[in-house]
Amino acid sequence: GLVLSMTNENASENANVKAYIAAFVKLWDKLMCDGDCAGEMQKTFYSNCCIKRAAELLNSKKMRKHVNKLFKNVWSLYFEEPSPKRVVDQYLSMFEPATFCGDKTGVYKYFNKQCDQAIGA
């Protein structure tokens, strides 16, 4: 009874979180990667080299490990079910638009190249 309903409820929460993140990633893709608007979005939200460096730090292997650990710990406070896999990776990927958008647009890659040249990387 109670344990089974808690397990089903947790499994449902797990699926809800996965669905929410998937929908958010899809929305972000539409907002940031659309060929008609990507240039304007780059100028508005990804407009200086400090933002690029912060995104790279956020997506570093070490930081991903720490954020994943934090997510799992917080998740376990509320649910018995293991946390959804790859949710943190999907979420963090949105903050590096050059990689996130891939071949849909080149504006972020061009901007990254300009930053790298400016700092001599």
Side-chain angles (χ1 to χ4, degrees), residues 3-19 75 78-85:
V3 172
L4 181 57
S5 70
M6 289 291 287
T7 303
N8 288 339
E9 184 178 306
N10 290 341
S12 175
E13 287 300 321
N14 197 320
N16 288 341
V17 169
K18 284 182 179 179
W75 181 270
Y78 297 98
F79 307 105
E80 293 176 12
E81 178 82 13
S83 63
K85 298 208 181 300

Side-chain angles (χ1 to χ4, degrees), residues 29-41:
D29 179 81
K30 292 284 185 195
L31 294 173
M32 297 298 286
C33 304
D34 177 72
D36 293 334
C37 297
E40 190 173 332
M41 296 303 279

Side-chain angles (χ1 to χ4, degrees), residues 22-89:
F24 192 72
V25 167
K26 187 175 180 178
L27 173 64
W28 195 252
D29 179 81
K30 292 284 185 195
L31 294 173
M32 297 298 286
C33 304
D34 177 72
D36 293 334
C37 297
E40 190 173 332
M41 296 303 279
Q42 180 270 311
K43 290 175 188 166
T44 303
F45 297 108
Y46 195 73
S47 58
N48 67 56
C49 297
C50 289
I51 293 172
K52 175 191 178 287
R53 285 195 303 266
E56 290 171 344
L57 175 63
L58 182 64
N59 279 285
S60 69
K61 187 175 182 177
K62 184 178 180 179
M63 186 64 78
R64 281 180 180 262
K65 180 180 174 182
H66 291 306
V67 174
N68 267 303
K69 186 175 182 176
L70 175 65
F71 178 76
K72 286 178 184 179
N73 287 336
V74 171
W75 181 270
S76 69
L77 294 173
Y78 297 98
F79 307 105
E80 293 176 12
E81 178 82 13
S83 63
K85 298 208 181 300
R86 301 209 61 241
V87 169
V88 171
D89 289 335

